[in-house]
Amino acid sequence: MKRRSQLAVLIAALLPASVLASTIEGVVLNNKGKVVTNATVEVEGSDLKVATDKNGKFVITELKNGLKELHVVAPGYAHLHRDITITNDDNQSVTFNLKRSPIEVIDIEVTPIHMSAMESASPVSVLSGEQLRRQQAATLGDSLEKLPGVNTNFHGKVASTPIIRGLSGPRVLITQNGLDVSDVSRVGPDHSVASEASTAQQIEVLRGPATLFYGSGAIGGVVNVVDNRVPTDSTTRGEWNVEHNSVDNQKVASFNATTGTDSMAFYADAFWREADDYEVPVAADIDSDGEEHSGDYKVENSNEESDGFTVGASYLMDNGFIGLAVEQFNRQYGIPGHTHGEEEEEEHNDEEESVFADLEQTKVQLLGEYNLDNKWLNKVNLRAGHTDYEHAEIEGGAVGTTFKNETNELRIDLLHNQFSEWNGGISFHYKQSDVEAQGEEAFTPPSKTESFAVALMEERHFGDFLVQLGGRIERVTIAAGDVLLPNIDAHAHDEEGETDEHDHDHEESAETTRVFDVEHEFTPVSLSAGVVWDFTPNYNLGLSVSRSERAPSASELLSFGAHIGTGTYEVGALFNLGEDGHLGLSDQAIDLETANNIDLTFRKTQGDIGFILNAFYNQVDNYYYQIDTGLFAESGHDHSDEEEGADEHDHSSELPVYLFKTGDVILHGFEAQIAWQLTDEFKVDLFSDYVRARLKDGGDLPRTPPLRFGSELSYQTDKLSAHIHVTRYQKQDRTAPQETATGGYTLVDASISYDLSVLNQDMSVYLRGTNLTDTEARVHSSFVKDIAPRPGRSFALGIRGYF
């Protein structure tokens, strides 16, 4: 023993000071001097991270000389940053005092630089823990719609996707653990997102351009669903849940669990959901006898059956991990409003005519992290995925259209050691997607999209200033081999609904279809700079500016056919409407969409009152959007049995022709969030958001969410949790041509839960009520708002367990 000590002294004397390891030990207290248990203390720019024990104490070892930035995180408290200089193999003792924050501060997990609601230059939101479980719904858009700046397009409760600051579809990227979810939800509002909230650990939302981290498809924002499918530790833990909802007789069950050994970790989750058509309130309804009455009715074809499971395993090393997970996701759901003409309304109750989607997805993810003892690099993050997606739209027992998406993706982040106090790294990102649609309603030809990108992201503290910088360059190729240009009979209707006398003959026009190949290459470049200024204790100002470019999607360029989910005949930007009314190839250049965005944020980070106030201005040049041409075309759906003897002026099988074109648009607005911790038990949250979306040359963009504001009163003790949430949606009358205004309404929700222990099992019993006033509420951003309002009054009873 003595010889070993002498040897250690000799080695220490011979080694340079920069190689010697030091130790920091300390305690974390709150502002009342009480210890904070399970707080996380980490060294920025490294993988060193420890948790405080029951006495609030921690120890960090193996620290080398130099300036170290410590980051202290605990639930319910504001994050704390502290710089400590390590010299000459010194052991230091410190005390950290955390101050309460009524706004939960949770870090974004998959970004190379530090991001959270209170600290980053760009605005972000995170839904996790009890709040996530309280707000989770059958669809991703409905789960997130209470977050500031996030709305839902609400396609009848079965296929709702998120809208971020008025943007959705191909401009909002949805990912799972940082990798594209790779479904076809960005193509149409009636396509469900292939991701499940009930087994997620947290859901992250980056509002505004997030192209630096995720690519040009994130020009409007990102939603990232985080789960533990590839476990990073082997601590045994998990949760389960069962629930029943009254408005649609929905039954839900889910669980997730992690366990393992010192070197291996295992994960499994599963979920099952079944729901009938949901009920909605109406002020007045007219029955088959023509009599008016009040009451509820059901939205036909809004039922669903979903299930899925995931298994994963990781090999745990002292300096990292590597793991693999496989998921199977299945969903069958009705498609409200999936009609081919007015005559189908009469058959709405005919079960044989119901249209539903049968969705299957298999996803494989490989995730890894390795910490290096290298002069330049300290960590390598690996994310790779393969997704095989397919969904068939089935009508009358027969498959009408099948959508497929096969995606391969690889992302490697190389994070460097702190260099002149800069933290960050370089990211390499490759993605290839093969998308095809086959069938009578396949409005987009098969296409392949391939992209490769290099991105650089850095951040540094300059006293009271945090500076965040980034840049990304991408190469995107879109190729399609069978692009169709049918010579359709597109015609106008006069005021009485009759076809214009100059219409072309149906039989002649249907004979000619041009088929050709298309390949476009784009080089989107994105730049971003942001600064956060802690100008006085407990307050900061954030400023973020960015210039982001996006390559148009295949559907925006190549569409040519009936899109039944939106009730339109879509024609892509590759085509143009001539003066003679014929659709042909466009001679306009196909160019990148460019967003110039500025965000200004004012925050109060600590104390009994906290707030986040965001204002944004986003000018998007060459914005791809659809215009109503005033023409109509046959949907292509076979109504041969019904057309015998039909009136020659019957247009029930026709759809309005919408053409993609480009223009400059401006989106500006705000998000406000204020939280007041009245006492240790009571808290009040207030919020509001608004976006104005307009064409630069005049006119409004369609389906823009209205101004809304609301409040939530919460009561929280060790055992009991209760919440009352009120949201007011104002009338939206800033509409695009052919779009109708939507009236305002107020929604009242409430929930209560009680924690108990049964046979050493921690459980929570809860009751949740939504739309308690049974208000008729129509979502302006929904394509089916007129036939599928929000659900009426509903109560959900459930029990959740933890281990």
Side-chain angles (χ1 to χ4, degrees):
M1 232 9 228
K2 184 177 180 180
R3 289 183 178 179
R4 289 184 180 178
S5 300
Q6 292 174 340
L7 181 61
V9 172
L10 178 61
I11 292 175
L14 294 175
L15 287 175
S18 60
V19 180
L20 298 176
S22 300
T23 298
I24 295 178
E25 60 181 26
V27 63
V28 178
L29 307 174
N30 63 18
N31 56 346
K32 295 182 179 179
K34 296 182 179 180
V35 300
V36 178
T37 61
N38 205 33
T40 300
V41 183
E42 60 181 331
V43 181
E44 291 280 9
S46 77
D47 197 52
L48 294 174
K49 181 186 301 186
V50 297
T52 57
D53 61 18
K54 63 180 181 180
N55 298 315
K57 295 183 178 180
F58 69 92
V59 178
I60 301 178
T61 60
E62 301 181 4
L63 286 168
K64 296 179 181 178
N65 288 352
L67 180 65
K68 306 299 177 185
E69 181 183 341
L70 299 189
H71 184 208
V72 187
V73 179
Y77 295 93
H79 290 193
L80 177 66
H81 294 268
R82 178 76 61 83
D83 288 342
I84 295 180
T85 301
I86 304 297
T87 58
N88 298 327
D89 194 21
D90 192 17
N91 295 330
Q92 296 195 29
S93 180
V94 294
T95 298
F96 295 133
N97 292 98
L98 299 183
K99 295 184 178 180
R100 183 160 62 179
S101 173
I103 298 178
E104 192 71 27
V105 185
I106 303 171
D107 285 335
I108 298 288
E109 290 208 355
V110 295
T111 55
I113 62 176
H114 181 72
M115 298 189 74
S116 69
M118 285 296 193
E119 298 166 295
S120 58
S122 301
V124 301
S125 299
V126 179
L127 195 62
S128 70
E130 195 261 343
Q131 184 184 14
L132 171 59
R133 296 295 174 244
R134 193 170 68 248
Q135 296 183 15
Q136 71 186 35
T139 63
L140 188 62
D142 295 349
S143 298
L144 298 175
E145 69 164 329
K146 290 184 178 178
L147 292 177
V150 184
N151 286 266
T152 176
N153 73 352
F154 193 77
H155 201 85
K157 199 180 73 63
V158 295
S160 306
T161 55
I163 299 172
I164 300 178
R165 292 181 169 180
L167 298 177
S168 61
R171 297 175 181 88
V172 172
L173 182 62
I174 300 173
T175 63
Q176 188 134 24
N177 299 315
L179 297 173
D180 195 337
V181 74
S182 301
D183 51 28
V184 293
S185 61
R186 306 172 88 195
V187 176
D190 56 328
H191 299 163
S192 177
V193 177
S195 186
E196 178 61 27
S198 67
T199 55
Q201 303 301 308
Q202 67 183 48
I203 303 178
E204 306 165 348
V205 179
L206 281 71
R207 303 192 302 274
T211 55
L212 293 178
F213 309 105
Y214 298 95
S216 63
I219 198 170
V222 164
V223 174
N224 182 45
V225 180
V226 179
D227 56 34
N228 196 39
R229 63 180 55 195
V230 177
T232 59
D233 65 82
S234 58
T235 304
T236 299
R237 62 188 181 278
E239 64 176 314
W240 54 267
N241 181 66
V242 292
E243 178 182 302
H244 180 268
N245 200 313
S246 64
V247 76
D248 54 2
N249 193 32
Q250 178 179 260
K251 297 172 281 291
V252 182
S254 64
F255 88 93
N256 65 78
T258 304
T259 190
T261 64
D262 289 342
S263 60
M264 293 296 299
F266 303 97
Y267 173 85
D269 72 36
F271 79 95
W272 169 81
R273 181 187 297 106
E274 184 176 279
D276 300 331
D277 294 343
Y278 71 90
E279 294 181 348
V280 294
V282 288
D285 192 17
I286 299 177
D287 63 20
S288 58
D289 297 326
E291 296 183 1
E292 186 176 290
H293 64 90
S294 297
D296 290 347
Y297 75 91
K298 292 186 177 181
V299 174
E300 300 291 340
N301 219 23
S302 60
N303 52 80
E304 68 142 328
E305 294 182 14
S306 303
D307 62 79
F309 68 89
T310 306
V311 291
S314 296
Y315 176 63
L316 307 178
M317 301 168 281
D318 291 338
N319 49 1
F321 73 93
I322 184 76
L324 185 74
V326 180
E327 176 197 28
Q328 180 64 41
F329 183 94
N330 308 300
R331 193 163 193 237
Q332 289 187 349
Y333 62 95
I335 306 178
H338 196 301
T339 61
H340 304 92
E342 296 171 3
E343 64 190 29
E344 193 173 79
E345 294 291 333
E346 300 174 2
E347 302 170 350
H348 218 67
N349 294 322
D350 186 349
E351 193 170 321
E352 294 184 357
E353 290 297 320
S354 65
V355 182
F356 69 94
D358 187 358
L359 184 161
E360 294 184 7
Q361 178 175 270
T362 302
K363 181 186 291 291
V364 181
Q365 287 192 344
L366 173 69
L367 306 180
E369 179 181 296
Y370 193 79
N371 300 296
L372 301 170
D373 186 11
N374 183 280
K375 180 179 180 181
W376 301 106
L377 299 178
N378 69 20
K379 185 188 294 185
V380 177
N381 290 332
L382 168 68
R383 301 178 188 272
H386 171 78
T387 303
D388 191 358
Y389 171 95
E390 178 177 330
H391 99 240
E393 293 186 355
I394 300 171
E395 182 175 4
V399 176
T401 308
T402 301
F403 295 86
K404 297 181 179 179
N405 184 358
E406 184 173 339
T407 300
N408 296 296
E409 188 172 6
L410 174 66
R411 177 173 163 180
I412 299 175
D413 299 329
L414 303 178
L415 306 183
H416 61 73
N417 287 314
Q418 195 174 75
F419 177 74
S420 296
E421 300 183 37
W422 286 95
N423 294 310
I426 189 169
S427 178
F428 300 92
H429 191 186
Y430 172 80
K431 182 164 61 176
Q432 176 189 328
S433 297
D434 288 325
V435 179
E436 65 175 282
Q438 297 178 344
E440 60 184 12
E441 295 170 8
F443 59 94
T444 303
S447 62
K448 177 185 290 187
T449 302
E450 190 172 36
S451 65
F452 177 75
V454 179
L456 179 67
M457 286 145 282
E458 298 288 336
E459 69 174 4
R460 180 185 169 179
H461 279 95
F462 293 88
D464 294 330
F465 292 88
L466 170 65
V467 176
Q468 297 179 324
L469 305 173
R472 182 184 180 105
I473 184 169
E474 230 173 318
R475 187 66 170 172
V476 180
T477 304
I478 300 175
D482 294 308
V483 179
L484 304 181
L485 175 53
N487 188 14
I488 63 170
D489 177 26
H491 51 266
H493 295 166
D494 62 19
E495 292 182 358
E496 298 180 359
E498 297 184 357
T499 303
D500 190 286
E501 62 180 352
H502 300 295
D503 289 341
H504 304 94
D505 183 75
H506 277 251
E507 295 182 2
E508 177 185 347
S509 61
E511 294 176 355
T512 307
T513 298
R514 292 178 58 185
V515 182
F516 54 96
D517 296 342
V518 168
E519 182 170 334
H520 284 278
E521 291 187 350
F522 305 91
T523 308
V525 177
S526 298
L527 300 171
S528 178
V531 61
V532 180
W533 177 27
D534 295 314
F535 63 94
T536 192
N538 306 338
Y539 293 86
N540 68 41
L541 280 172
L543 175 66
S544 176
V545 294
S546 64
R547 178 179 174 84
S548 305
E549 295 181 324
R550 180 181 76 91
S553 67
S555 60
E556 290 172 314
L557 290 182
L558 310 176
S559 293
F560 208 119
H563 188 176
I564 306 303
T566 60
T568 60
Y569 195 101
E570 291 193 0
V571 179
L574 196 65
F575 311 99
N576 191 29
L577 181 66
E579 294 182 359
D580 57 358
H582 280 85
L583 289 162
L585 286 176
S586 173
D587 57 3
Q588 297 292 320
I590 303 299
D591 208 350
L592 292 166
E593 189 175 276
T594 304
N596 298 284
N597 187 83
I598 182 168
D599 261 282
L600 182 63
T601 305
F602 177 40
R603 292 175 283 218
K604 185 177 187 296
T605 61
Q606 302 175 18
D608 291 334
I609 296 178
F611 58 75
I612 305 174
L613 308 178
N614 293 315
F616 65 90
Y617 183 91
N618 190 10
Q619 178 176 318
V620 187
D621 299 332
N622 209 48
Y623 182 92
Y624 286 82
Y625 70 104
Q626 291 176 299
I627 62 166
D628 185 352
T629 63
L631 304 179
F632 293 81
E634 289 289 336
S635 68
H637 190 68
D638 184 11
H639 292 289
S640 57
D641 294 338
E642 304 157 358
E643 289 176 352
E644 293 184 12
D647 190 292
E648 61 177 329
H649 299 305
D650 177 24
H651 307 298
S652 60
S653 62
E654 295 178 347
L655 296 173
V657 177
Y658 276 73
L659 176 67
F660 276 97
K661 65 170 293 184
T662 59
D664 297 341
V665 306
I666 295 174
L667 302 101
H668 57 88
F670 67 84
E671 297 122 9
Q673 181 182 4
I674 304 172
W676 182 11
Q677 193 76 46
L678 298 170
T679 68
D680 289 341
E681 293 81 21
F682 285 99
K683 187 174 79 166
V684 173
D685 289 275
L686 305 173
F687 83 96
S688 180
D689 56 22
Y690 172 74
V691 60
R692 174 84 167 91
R694 57 188 173 88
L695 293 165
K696 192 174 182 180
D697 295 333
D700 297 291
L701 292 182
R703 289 174 294 281
T704 300
L707 168 69
R708 64 176 180 172
F709 48 86
S711 64
E712 182 177 76
L713 175 63
S714 302
Y715 176 78
Q716 183 85 46
T717 66
D718 292 339
K719 297 288 186 180
L720 184 66
S721 175
H723 306 268
I724 299 177
H725 194 285
V726 181
T727 306
R728 172 64 187 177
Y729 292 79
Q730 292 293 86
K731 177 182 179 180
Q732 179 58 287
D733 54 8
R734 295 183 183 273
T735 57
Q738 313 304 321
E739 185 184 17
T740 59
T742 304
Y745 53 90
T746 301
L747 295 179
V748 180
D749 303 333
S751 66
I752 185 170
S753 66
Y754 184 77
D755 296 340
L756 65 159
S757 180
V758 179
L759 300 176
N760 294 323
Q761 169 76 60
D762 292 330
M763 291 190 293
S764 177
V765 179
Y766 61 90
L767 176 66
R768 184 172 64 249
T770 54
N771 193 5
L772 294 178
T773 56
D774 207 28
T775 298
E776 180 183 352
R778 301 184 186 272
V779 180
H780 183 76
S781 51
S782 173
F783 279 89
V784 292
K785 70 171 185 175
D786 293 328
I787 64 170
R790 291 180 183 271
R793 182 187 296 113
S794 178
F795 294 97
L797 178 64
I799 184 169
R800 182 175 296 113
Y802 304 89
F803 58 89

